[in-house]
Amino acid sequence: PNTWVPIESPNRPRIYRDWGTAAIDAVGGKIYRWSGGHSSYSGNDVLEYDIATNRFSISFRAEQPLEWIESTTGVPGSVSFQGRPFLSAHSYKMYAFVPALGKIAVVKSPYTYFFDPIRRDFESSPIYFDFKDERDNVLVAACGSGLIAWSIDGVFFLENGANSWRKLANAFSESGTPHRDSSTLVYDSKRNRVLFFPAGNGAPGQVFAGDLASNVPTALQPRGMKGLQEAFPSPEFNNK
């Protein structure tokens, strides 16, 4: 118990899908990755791992950005000729599995795309958003009734079935601003709150709890935070 055990799949891909997140469908028993980009794999296919069969698969032929292989930052346009989104340079936490919808949501400027695991393809009607997405610097997490997005413009909410994002109370700005490589957020279903880990602003180790009922964030001041601040005193490092 409490021990990580490596699992070797007979068809594990030997390709670099760096800079990304693993999104899990706990009910369906699948793990998904949509990652690569920066000096790495540039195909826009969604890699699926079936926990029960211990097999990997993809559902469509990967599309590569024209003339921008292994450097997706400069891709002209948002989508491929088939209407599927191209990878970003770094895709940490920019997509999540939404249990209430049974789909993967990808928040990549200027649209929110949905991948349907049943059809095994992206849907053709993405949802537009206009909050700032500086270098794909938006982090997302699924919550009970929708999707939370954390950007340099604040915290936004997309209700399941809605076609537009709305900004949560300005008080959420106290949670700081995210950095795609060092920040994260997770949904605490037991307490209906979102935990923000900004990892910057000169305060490594700080965690903010955003209550979704009151829209009020609270600094948790976790034990051991002071030690992290002493170990990493440089604001420049903290913001990286």
Side-chain angles (χ1 to χ4, degrees):
N2 298 322
T3 302
W4 288 99
V5 178
I7 298 176
E8 184 63 31
S9 170
N11 71 334
R12 181 171 71 87
R14 305 291 174 175
I15 198 166
Y16 297 107
R17 292 181 182 262
D18 300 336
W19 316 110
T21 294
I24 185 168
D25 173 5
V27 175
K30 305 290 177 61
I31 298 175
Y32 300 93
R33 285 191 69 94
W34 188 72
S35 57
H38 183 180
S39 300
S40 182
Y41 180 66
S42 294
N44 64 349
D45 54 300
V46 177
L47 180 67
E48 175 186 298
Y49 173 70
D50 188 304
I51 298 173
T53 64
N54 189 29
R55 295 292 189 277
F56 289 86
S57 65
I58 60 175
S59 54
F60 55 83
R61 184 186 295 273
E63 298 163 289
Q64 305 282 349
L66 299 176
E67 300 183 4
W68 288 91
I69 303 301
E70 296 193 357
S71 180
T72 55
T73 303
V75 174
S78 302
V79 298
S80 69
F81 292 125
Q82 301 299 321
R84 302 180 181 115
F86 282 120
L87 285 172
S88 67
H90 295 192
S91 59
Y92 294 130
K93 296 294 288 187
M94 70 181 298
Y95 58 95
F97 183 81
V98 186
L101 298 177
K103 300 174 183 177
I104 298 171
V106 177
V107 182
K108 182 178 185 294
S109 181
Y111 294 102
T112 302
Y113 302 89
F114 294 93
F115 178 86
D116 184 345
I118 302 300
R119 293 180 51 249
R120 303 190 74 193
D121 205 346
F122 285 96
E123 296 182 344
S124 59
S125 301
I127 297 174
Y128 176 77
F129 67 85
D130 59 1
F131 48 84
K132 288 184 180 179
D133 177 15
E134 184 177 356
R135 297 186 66 190
D136 300 322
N137 200 10
V138 173
L139 309 181
V140 300
C143 63
S145 57
L147 194 66
I148 296 288
W150 185 22
S151 85
I152 59 176
D153 262 355
V155 179
F156 296 80
F157 178 70
L158 179 66
E159 187 174 2
N160 292 332
N163 59 9
S164 63
W165 289 84
R166 64 178 174 86
K167 188 173 184 178
L168 296 182
N170 288 331
F172 271 96
S173 63
E174 297 176 13
S175 301
T177 55
H179 186 279
R180 60 183 175 176
D181 287 352
S182 57
S183 302
T184 192
L185 76 166
V186 294
Y187 176 59
D188 177 358
S189 59
K190 183 176 181 179
R191 301 169 183 82
N192 192 33
R193 65 181 184 176
V194 179
L195 300 179
F196 300 89
F197 299 77
N201 302 320
Q206 182 60 277
V207 181
F208 292 91
D211 187 284
L212 295 180
S214 63
N215 285 340
V216 175
T218 302
L220 297 184
Q221 305 286 344
R223 195 180 311 166
M225 185 179 74
K226 184 178 179 181
L228 282 175
Q229 293 176 352
E230 293 173 350
F232 304 104
S234 169
E236 180 181 358
F237 177 87
N238 295 336
N239 285 314
K240 284 188 178 179

PDB file of all heavy atoms in Angstrom, residues 9-43:
ATOM      1  N   SER A   9       2.678  -0.849 -20.395  1.00  0.00           N
ATOM      2  CA  SER A   9       1.704  -1.257 -21.402  1.00  0.00           C
ATOM      3  C   SER A   9       2.437  -1.776 -22.633  1.00  0.00           C
ATOM      4  O   SER A   9       3.473  -1.227 -23.028  1.00  0.00           O
ATOM      5  CB  SER A   9       0.822  -0.072 -21.793  1.00  0.00           C
ATOM      6  OG  SER A   9       0.021  -0.378 -22.917  1.00  0.00           O
ATOM      7  N   PRO A  10       1.913  -2.813 -23.278  1.00  0.00           N
ATOM      8  CA  PRO A  10       2.585  -3.361 -24.468  1.00  0.00           C
ATOM      9  C   PRO A  10       2.592  -2.410 -25.656  1.00  0.00           C
ATOM     10  O   PRO A  10       3.363  -2.609 -26.594  1.00  0.00           O
ATOM     11  CB  PRO A  10       1.770  -4.625 -24.781  1.00  0.00           C
ATOM     12  CG  PRO A  10       0.455  -4.420 -24.122  1.00  0.00           C
ATOM     13  CD  PRO A  10       0.735  -3.611 -22.900  1.00  0.00           C
ATOM     14  N   ASN A  11       1.744  -1.359 -25.623  1.00  0.00           N
ATOM     15  CA  ASN A  11       1.762  -0.424 -26.762  1.00  0.00           C
ATOM     16  C   ASN A  11       1.942   1.028 -26.300  1.00  0.00           C
ATOM     17  O   ASN A  11       1.427   1.941 -26.911  1.00  0.00           O
ATOM     18  CB  ASN A  11       0.491  -0.557 -27.599  1.00  0.00           C
ATOM     19  CG  ASN A  11      -0.755  -0.013 -26.889  1.00  0.00           C
ATOM     20  OD1 ASN A  11      -0.815   0.027 -25.658  1.00  0.00           O
ATOM     21  ND2 ASN A  11      -1.751   0.410 -27.661  1.00  0.00           N
ATOM     22  N   ARG A  12       2.703   1.204 -25.209  1.00  0.00           N
ATOM     23  CA  ARG A  12       2.946   2.562 -24.722  1.00  0.00           C
ATOM     24  C   ARG A  12       3.670   3.391 -25.772  1.00  0.00           C
ATOM     25  O   ARG A  12       4.711   2.975 -26.276  1.00  0.00           O
ATOM     26  CB  ARG A  12       3.764   2.535 -23.436  1.00  0.00           C
ATOM     27  CG  ARG A  12       4.039   3.928 -22.850  1.00  0.00           C
ATOM     28  CD  ARG A  12       4.660   3.818 -21.479  1.00  0.00           C
ATOM     29  NE  ARG A  12       6.020   3.331 -21.512  1.00  0.00           N
ATOM     30  CZ  ARG A  12       7.102   4.112 -21.672  1.00  0.00           C
ATOM     31  NH1 ARG A  12       6.946   5.418 -21.850  1.00  0.00           N
ATOM     32  NH2 ARG A  12       8.307   3.587 -21.657  1.00  0.00           N
ATOM     33  N   PRO A  13       3.145   4.572 -26.131  1.00  0.00           N
ATOM     34  CA  PRO A  13       3.794   5.420 -27.127  1.00  0.00           C
ATOM     35  C   PRO A  13       5.173   5.868 -26.652  1.00  0.00           C
ATOM     36  O   PRO A  13       5.360   6.183 -25.474  1.00  0.00           O
ATOM     37  CB  PRO A  13       2.840   6.616 -27.240  1.00  0.00           C
ATOM     38  CG  PRO A  13       1.538   6.124 -26.733  1.00  0.00           C
ATOM     39  CD  PRO A  13       1.868   5.129 -25.668  1.00  0.00           C
ATOM     40  N   ARG A  14       6.112   5.891 -27.564  1.00  0.00           N
ATOM     41  CA  ARG A  14       7.476   6.304 -27.227  1.00  0.00           C
ATOM     42  C   ARG A  14       7.742   7.716 -27.734  1.00  0.00           C
ATOM     43  O   ARG A  14       8.842   8.046 -28.159  1.00  0.00           O
ATOM     44  CB  ARG A  14       8.478   5.329 -27.844  1.00  0.00           C
ATOM     45  CG  ARG A  14       8.231   3.890 -27.462  1.00  0.00           C
ATOM     46  CD  ARG A  14       8.518   3.605 -26.002  1.00  0.00           C
ATOM     47  NE  ARG A  14       8.140   2.242 -25.618  1.00  0.00           N
ATOM     48  CZ  ARG A  14       8.386   1.717 -24.415  1.00  0.00           C
ATOM     49  NH1 ARG A  14       9.002   2.447 -23.510  1.00  0.00           N
ATOM     50  NH2 ARG A  14       8.002   0.486 -24.131  1.00  0.00           N
ATOM     51  N   ILE A  15       6.721   8.541 -27.667  1.00  0.00           N
ATOM     52  CA  ILE A  15       6.847   9.891 -28.195  1.00  0.00           C
ATOM     53  C   ILE A  15       6.724  10.894 -27.054  1.00  0.00           C
ATOM     54  O   ILE A  15       6.100  10.611 -26.030  1.00  0.00           O
ATOM     55  CB  ILE A  15       5.757  10.151 -29.264  1.00  0.00           C
ATOM     56  CG1 ILE A  15       6.132  11.341 -30.138  1.00  0.00           C
ATOM     57  CG2 ILE A  15       4.385  10.357 -28.623  1.00  0.00           C
ATOM     58  CD1 ILE A  15       5.290  11.433 -31.384  1.00  0.00           C
ATOM     59  N   TYR A  16       7.349  12.048 -27.198  1.00  0.00           N
ATOM     60  CA  TYR A  16       7.392  13.035 -26.127  1.00  0.00           C
ATOM     61  C   TYR A  16       6.125  13.882 -26.115  1.00  0.00           C
ATOM     62  O   TYR A  16       5.947  14.771 -26.926  1.00  0.00           O
ATOM     63  CB  TYR A  16       8.620  13.933 -26.299  1.00  0.00           C
ATOM     64  CG  TYR A  16       9.930  13.211 -26.188  1.00  0.00           C
ATOM     65  CD1 TYR A  16      10.712  12.963 -27.319  1.00  0.00           C
ATOM     66  CD2 TYR A  16      10.383  12.751 -24.954  1.00  0.00           C
ATOM     67  CE1 TYR A  16      11.923  12.284 -27.211  1.00  0.00           C
ATOM     68  CE2 TYR A  16      11.588  12.074 -24.841  1.00  0.00           C
ATOM     69  CZ  TYR A  16      12.351  11.844 -25.965  1.00  0.00           C
ATOM     70  OH  TYR A  16      13.530  11.182 -25.869  1.00  0.00           O
ATOM     71  N   ARG A  17       5.243  13.614 -25.187  1.00  0.00           N
ATOM     72  CA  ARG A  17       4.046  14.451 -24.997  1.00  0.00           C
ATOM     73  C   ARG A  17       4.277  15.290 -23.736  1.00  0.00           C
ATOM     74  O   ARG A  17       3.634  15.081 -22.703  1.00  0.00           O
ATOM     75  CB  ARG A  17       2.794  13.584 -24.879  1.00  0.00           C
ATOM     76  CG  ARG A  17       2.420  12.876 -26.185  1.00  0.00           C
ATOM     77  CD  ARG A  17       1.161  12.052 -26.021  1.00  0.00           C
ATOM     78  NE  ARG A  17       0.817  11.328 -27.239  1.00  0.00           N
ATOM     79  CZ  ARG A  17      -0.075  11.731 -28.135  1.00  0.00           C
ATOM     80  NH1 ARG A  17      -0.713  12.864 -27.948  1.00  0.00           N
ATOM     81  NH2 ARG A  17      -0.331  11.018 -29.207  1.00  0.00           N
ATOM     82  N   ASP A  18       5.202  16.217 -23.851  1.00  0.00           N
ATOM     83  CA  ASP A  18       5.625  17.006 -22.696  1.00  0.00           C
ATOM     84  C   ASP A  18       4.627  18.111 -22.341  1.00  0.00           C
ATOM     85  O   ASP A  18       3.643  18.339 -23.047  1.00  0.00           O
ATOM     86  CB  ASP A  18       6.988  17.650 -22.978  1.00  0.00           C
ATOM     87  CG  ASP A  18       8.057  16.602 -23.253  1.00  0.00           C
ATOM     88  OD1 ASP A  18       7.889  15.467 -22.790  1.00  0.00           O
ATOM     89  OD2 ASP A  18       9.044  16.936 -23.929  1.00  0.00           O
ATOM     90  N   TRP A  19       4.934  18.807 -21.253  1.00  0.00           N
ATOM     91  CA  TRP A  19       4.265  20.061 -20.873  1.00  0.00           C
ATOM     92  C   TRP A  19       2.760  19.922 -20.656  1.00  0.00           C
ATOM     93  O   TRP A  19       2.013  20.859 -20.907  1.00  0.00           O
ATOM     94  CB  TRP A  19       4.506  21.155 -21.925  1.00  0.00           C
ATOM     95  CG  TRP A  19       5.903  21.275 -22.433  1.00  0.00           C
ATOM     96  CD1 TRP A  19       6.337  20.943 -23.692  1.00  0.00           C
ATOM     97  CD2 TRP A  19       7.041  21.741 -21.724  1.00  0.00           C
ATOM     98  NE1 TRP A  19       7.677  21.175 -23.813  1.00  0.00           N
ATOM     99  CE2 TRP A  19       8.146  21.679 -22.607  1.00  0.00           C
ATOM    100  CE3 TRP A  19       7.247  22.212 -20.434  1.00  0.00           C
ATOM    101  CZ2 TRP A  19       9.429  22.066 -22.236  1.00  0.00           C
ATOM    102  CZ3 TRP A  19       8.525  22.600 -20.064  1.00  0.00           C
ATOM    103  CH2 TRP A  19       9.577  22.527 -20.963  1.00  0.00           C
ATOM    104  N   GLY A  20       2.284  18.769 -20.223  1.00  0.00           N
ATOM    105  CA  GLY A  20       0.835  18.610 -20.167  1.00  0.00           C
ATOM    106  C   GLY A  20       0.289  18.039 -18.872  1.00  0.00           C
ATOM    107  O   GLY A  20       0.985  17.875 -17.878  1.00  0.00           O
ATOM    108  N   THR A  21      -0.975  17.729 -18.916  1.00  0.00           N
ATOM    109  CA  THR A  21      -1.752  17.266 -17.776  1.00  0.00           C
ATOM    110  C   THR A  21      -2.410  15.940 -18.120  1.00  0.00           C
ATOM    111  O   THR A  21      -2.740  15.694 -19.278  1.00  0.00           O
ATOM    112  CB  THR A  21      -2.852  18.309 -17.445  1.00  0.00           C
ATOM    113  OG1 THR A  21      -2.231  19.505 -17.003  1.00  0.00           O
ATOM    114  CG2 THR A  21      -3.796  17.817 -16.363  1.00  0.00           C
ATOM    115  N   ALA A  22      -2.611  15.111 -17.127  1.00  0.00           N
ATOM    116  CA  ALA A  22      -3.399  13.893 -17.305  1.00  0.00           C
ATOM    117  C   ALA A  22      -4.808  14.156 -16.792  1.00  0.00           C
ATOM    118  O   ALA A  22      -4.990  14.589 -15.659  1.00  0.00           O
ATOM    119  CB  ALA A  22      -2.773  12.724 -16.543  1.00  0.00           C
ATOM    120  N   ALA A  23      -5.809  13.944 -17.645  1.00  0.00           N
ATOM    121  CA  ALA A  23      -7.209  14.132 -17.260  1.00  0.00           C
ATOM    122  C   ALA A  23      -7.850  12.756 -17.123  1.00  0.00           C
ATOM    123  O   ALA A  23      -7.792  11.944 -18.049  1.00  0.00           O
ATOM    124  CB  ALA A  23      -7.945  14.958 -18.307  1.00  0.00           C
ATOM    125  N   ILE A  24      -8.464  12.486 -15.970  1.00  0.00           N
ATOM    126  CA  ILE A  24      -8.989  11.144 -15.727  1.00  0.00           C
ATOM    127  C   ILE A  24     -10.513  11.132 -15.681  1.00  0.00           C
ATOM    128  O   ILE A  24     -11.141  12.020 -15.107  1.00  0.00           O
ATOM    129  CB  ILE A  24      -8.417  10.569 -14.405  1.00  0.00           C
ATOM    130  CG1 ILE A  24      -8.880   9.105 -14.213  1.00  0.00           C
ATOM    131  CG2 ILE A  24      -8.789  11.423 -13.207  1.00  0.00           C
ATOM    132  CD1 ILE A  24      -8.158   8.371 -13.115  1.00  0.00           C
ATOM    133  N   ASP A  25     -11.068  10.128 -16.323  1.00  0.00           N
ATOM    134  CA  ASP A  25     -12.492   9.823 -16.234  1.00  0.00           C
ATOM    135  C   ASP A  25     -12.596   8.622 -15.296  1.00  0.00           C
ATOM    136  O   ASP A  25     -12.421   7.478 -15.706  1.00  0.00           O
ATOM    137  CB  ASP A  25     -13.049   9.487 -17.623  1.00  0.00           C
ATOM    138  CG  ASP A  25     -14.491   8.982 -17.581  1.00  0.00           C
ATOM    139  OD1 ASP A  25     -15.090   8.988 -16.488  1.00  0.00           O
ATOM    140  OD2 ASP A  25     -15.000   8.578 -18.641  1.00  0.00           O
ATOM    141  N   ALA A  26     -12.876   8.891 -14.016  1.00  0.00           N
ATOM    142  CA  ALA A  26     -12.863   7.836 -13.006  1.00  0.00           C
ATOM    143  C   ALA A  26     -13.972   6.818 -13.224  1.00  0.00           C
ATOM    144  O   ALA A  26     -13.819   5.641 -12.884  1.00  0.00           O
ATOM    145  CB  ALA A  26     -12.977   8.455 -11.613  1.00  0.00           C
ATOM    146  N   VAL A  27     -15.098   7.250 -13.782  1.00  0.00           N
ATOM    147  CA  VAL A  27     -16.213   6.338 -14.014  1.00  0.00           C
ATOM    148  C   VAL A  27     -15.947   5.453 -15.229  1.00  0.00           C
ATOM    149  O   VAL A  27     -16.140   4.230 -15.200  1.00  0.00           O
ATOM    150  CB  VAL A  27     -17.530   7.112 -14.199  1.00  0.00           C
ATOM    151  CG1 VAL A  27     -18.672   6.162 -14.558  1.00  0.00           C
ATOM    152  CG2 VAL A  27     -17.876   7.886 -12.932  1.00  0.00           C
ATOM    153  N   GLY A  28     -15.484   6.068 -16.310  1.00  0.00           N
ATOM    154  CA  GLY A  28     -15.225   5.317 -17.532  1.00  0.00           C
ATOM    155  C   GLY A  28     -13.915   4.565 -17.525  1.00  0.00           C
ATOM    156  O   GLY A  28     -13.647   3.745 -18.407  1.00  0.00           O
ATOM    157  N   GLY A  29     -13.052   4.874 -16.532  1.00  0.00           N
ATOM    158  CA  GLY A  29     -11.781   4.165 -16.444  1.00  0.00           C
ATOM    159  C   GLY A  29     -10.802   4.534 -17.538  1.00  0.00           C
ATOM    160  O   GLY A  29     -10.074   3.676 -18.046  1.00  0.00           O
ATOM    161  N   LYS A  30     -10.761   5.813 -17.893  1.00  0.00           N
ATOM    162  CA  LYS A  30      -9.857   6.276 -18.957  1.00  0.00           C
ATOM    163  C   LYS A  30      -9.005   7.445 -18.462  1.00  0.00           C
ATOM    164  O   LYS A  30      -9.452   8.248 -17.628  1.00  0.00           O
ATOM    165  CB  LYS A  30     -10.659   6.734 -20.180  1.00  0.00           C
ATOM    166  CG  LYS A  30     -11.630   5.689 -20.737  1.00  0.00           C
ATOM    167  CD  LYS A  30     -10.905   4.537 -21.389  1.00  0.00           C
ATOM    168  CE  LYS A  30     -11.888   3.471 -21.868  1.00  0.00           C
ATOM    169  NZ  LYS A  30     -12.836   3.969 -22.880  1.00  0.00           N
ATOM    170  N   ILE A  31      -7.799   7.534 -18.975  1.00  0.00           N
ATOM    171  CA  ILE A  31      -6.908   8.672 -18.721  1.00  0.00           C
ATOM    172  C   ILE A  31      -6.566   9.287 -20.064  1.00  0.00           C
ATOM    173  O   ILE A  31      -6.235   8.575 -21.018  1.00  0.00           O
ATOM    174  CB  ILE A  31      -5.632   8.236 -17.981  1.00  0.00           C
ATOM    175  CG1 ILE A  31      -5.989   7.660 -16.606  1.00  0.00           C
ATOM    176  CG2 ILE A  31      -4.666   9.412 -17.819  1.00  0.00           C
ATOM    177  CD1 ILE A  31      -4.797   7.096 -15.856  1.00  0.00           C
ATOM    178  N   TYR A  32      -6.640  10.620 -20.146  1.00  0.00           N
ATOM    179  CA  TYR A  32      -6.419  11.317 -21.419  1.00  0.00           C
ATOM    180  C   TYR A  32      -5.272  12.308 -21.297  1.00  0.00           C
ATOM    181  O   TYR A  32      -5.061  12.922 -20.248  1.00  0.00           O
ATOM    182  CB  TYR A  32      -7.686  12.079 -21.824  1.00  0.00           C
ATOM    183  CG  TYR A  32      -8.898  11.210 -22.009  1.00  0.00           C
ATOM    184  CD1 TYR A  32      -9.792  10.995 -20.953  1.00  0.00           C
ATOM    185  CD2 TYR A  32      -9.165  10.589 -23.225  1.00  0.00           C
ATOM    186  CE1 TYR A  32     -10.906  10.187 -21.112  1.00  0.00           C
ATOM    187  CE2 TYR A  32     -10.278   9.778 -23.394  1.00  0.00           C
ATOM    188  CZ  TYR A  32     -11.140   9.587 -22.328  1.00  0.00           C
ATOM    189  OH  TYR A  32     -12.242   8.790 -22.489  1.00  0.00           O
ATOM    190  N   ARG A  33      -4.551  12.448 -22.415  1.00  0.00           N
ATOM    191  CA  ARG A  33      -3.510  13.486 -22.505  1.00  0.00           C
ATOM    192  C   ARG A  33      -3.644  14.205 -23.844  1.00  0.00           C
ATOM    193  O   ARG A  33      -3.808  13.576 -24.890  1.00  0.00           O
ATOM    194  CB  ARG A  33      -2.103  12.891 -22.391  1.00  0.00           C
ATOM    195  CG  ARG A  33      -1.713  12.477 -20.993  1.00  0.00           C
ATOM    196  CD  ARG A  33      -0.238  12.149 -20.913  1.00  0.00           C
ATOM    197  NE  ARG A  33       0.588  13.334 -21.061  1.00  0.00           N
ATOM    198  CZ  ARG A  33       1.054  14.046 -20.026  1.00  0.00           C
ATOM    199  NH1 ARG A  33       0.760  13.696 -18.800  1.00  0.00           N
ATOM    200  NH2 ARG A  33       1.811  15.106 -20.238  1.00  0.00           N
ATOM    201  N   TRP A  34      -3.570  15.525 -23.766  1.00  0.00           N
ATOM    202  CA  TRP A  34      -3.551  16.375 -24.960  1.00  0.00           C
ATOM    203  C   TRP A  34      -2.391  17.338 -24.742  1.00  0.00           C
ATOM    204  O   TRP A  34      -2.571  18.437 -24.254  1.00  0.00           O
ATOM    205  CB  TRP A  34      -4.890  17.113 -25.107  1.00  0.00           C
ATOM    206  CG  TRP A  34      -5.050  17.861 -26.401  1.00  0.00           C
ATOM    207  CD1 TRP A  34      -5.242  17.334 -27.641  1.00  0.00           C
ATOM    208  CD2 TRP A  34      -5.038  19.280 -26.568  1.00  0.00           C
ATOM    209  NE1 TRP A  34      -5.344  18.335 -28.580  1.00  0.00           N
ATOM    210  CE2 TRP A  34      -5.224  19.544 -27.948  1.00  0.00           C
ATOM    211  CE3 TRP A  34      -4.883  20.362 -25.697  1.00  0.00           C
ATOM    212  CZ2 TRP A  34      -5.258  20.840 -28.462  1.00  0.00           C
ATOM    213  CZ3 TRP A  34      -4.916  21.643 -26.205  1.00  0.00           C
ATOM    214  CH2 TRP A  34      -5.104  21.870 -27.586  1.00  0.00           C
ATOM    215  N   SER A  35      -1.208  16.858 -25.038  1.00  0.00           N
ATOM    216  CA  SER A  35      -0.030  17.635 -24.648  1.00  0.00           C
ATOM    217  C   SER A  35       1.115  17.418 -25.617  1.00  0.00           C
ATOM    218  O   SER A  35       1.116  16.510 -26.443  1.00  0.00           O
ATOM    219  CB  SER A  35       0.402  17.252 -23.232  1.00  0.00           C
ATOM    220  OG  SER A  35       0.648  15.862 -23.143  1.00  0.00           O
ATOM    221  N   GLY A  36       2.101  18.275 -25.469  1.00  0.00           N
ATOM    222  CA  GLY A  36       3.250  18.328 -26.363  1.00  0.00           C
ATOM    223  C   GLY A  36       3.585  19.799 -26.566  1.00  0.00           C
ATOM    224  O   GLY A  36       3.497  20.595 -25.640  1.00  0.00           O
ATOM    225  N   GLY A  37       3.952  20.181 -27.774  1.00  0.00           N
ATOM    226  CA  GLY A  37       4.121  21.604 -28.066  1.00  0.00           C
ATOM    227  C   GLY A  37       5.550  22.071 -28.113  1.00  0.00           C
ATOM    228  O   GLY A  37       6.261  21.849 -29.093  1.00  0.00           O
ATOM    229  N   HIS A  38       6.015  22.702 -27.048  1.00  0.00           N
ATOM    230  CA  HIS A  38       7.305  23.385 -26.984  1.00  0.00           C
ATOM    231  C   HIS A  38       8.467  22.405 -27.205  1.00  0.00           C
ATOM    232  O   HIS A  38       8.819  21.636 -26.328  1.00  0.00           O
ATOM    233  CB  HIS A  38       7.419  24.067 -25.612  1.00  0.00           C
ATOM    234  CG  HIS A  38       8.658  24.873 -25.433  1.00  0.00           C
ATOM    235  ND1 HIS A  38       8.928  25.552 -24.268  1.00  0.00           N
ATOM    236  CD2 HIS A  38       9.692  25.139 -26.262  1.00  0.00           C
ATOM    237  CE1 HIS A  38      10.074  26.182 -24.370  1.00  0.00           C
ATOM    238  NE2 HIS A  38      10.570  25.938 -25.581  1.00  0.00           N
ATOM    239  N   SER A  39       9.059  22.467 -28.393  1.00  0.00           N
ATOM    240  CA  SER A  39      10.168  21.572 -28.749  1.00  0.00           C
ATOM    241  C   SER A  39       9.822  20.112 -28.500  1.00  0.00           C
ATOM    242  O   SER A  39      10.668  19.303 -28.111  1.00  0.00           O
ATOM    243  CB  SER A  39      11.428  21.951 -27.969  1.00  0.00           C
ATOM    244  OG  SER A  39      11.815  23.269 -28.267  1.00  0.00           O
ATOM    245  N   SER A  40       8.566  19.776 -28.725  1.00  0.00           N
ATOM    246  CA  SER A  40       8.084  18.429 -28.432  1.00  0.00           C
ATOM    247  C   SER A  40       7.072  18.010 -29.496  1.00  0.00           C
ATOM    248  O   SER A  40       7.010  18.607 -30.568  1.00  0.00           O
ATOM    249  CB  SER A  40       7.465  18.420 -27.025  1.00  0.00           C
ATOM    250  OG  SER A  40       7.026  17.139 -26.672  1.00  0.00           O
ATOM    251  N   TYR A  41       6.281  17.004 -29.170  1.00  0.00           N
ATOM    252  CA  TYR A  41       5.269  16.504 -30.101  1.00  0.00           C
ATOM    253  C   TYR A  41       4.237  17.586 -30.422  1.00  0.00           C
ATOM    254  O   TYR A  41       3.763  18.290 -29.524  1.00  0.00           O
ATOM    255  CB  TYR A  41       4.583  15.298 -29.469  1.00  0.00           C
ATOM    256  CG  TYR A  41       3.510  14.669 -30.319  1.00  0.00           C
ATOM    257  CD1 TYR A  41       3.825  14.045 -31.517  1.00  0.00           C
ATOM    258  CD2 TYR A  41       2.183  14.689 -29.906  1.00  0.00           C
ATOM    259  CE1 TYR A  41       2.844  13.446 -32.291  1.00  0.00           C
ATOM    260  CE2 TYR A  41       1.188  14.088 -30.669  1.00  0.00           C
ATOM    261  CZ  TYR A  41       1.531  13.479 -31.870  1.00  0.00           C
ATOM    262  OH  TYR A  41       0.550  12.898 -32.628  1.00  0.00           O
ATOM    263  N   SER A  42       3.874  17.733 -31.692  1.00  0.00           N
ATOM    264  CA  SER A  42       2.966  18.795 -32.105  1.00  0.00           C
ATOM    265  C   SER A  42       1.626  18.296 -32.638  1.00  0.00           C
ATOM    266  O   SER A  42       0.789  19.103 -33.040  1.00  0.00           O
ATOM    267  CB  SER A  42       3.635  19.664 -33.181  1.00  0.00           C
ATOM    268  OG  SER A  42       4.738  20.358 -32.652  1.00  0.00           O
ATOM    269  N   GLY A  43       1.393  16.989 -32.639  1.00  0.00           N
ATOM    270  CA  GLY A  43       0.116  16.478 -33.122  1.00  0.00           C
ATOM    271  C   GLY A  43      -1.026  16.845 -32.190  1.00  0.00           C
ATOM    272  O   GLY A  43      -0.859  16.897 -30.970  1.00  0.00           O
TER     273      GLY A  43
END
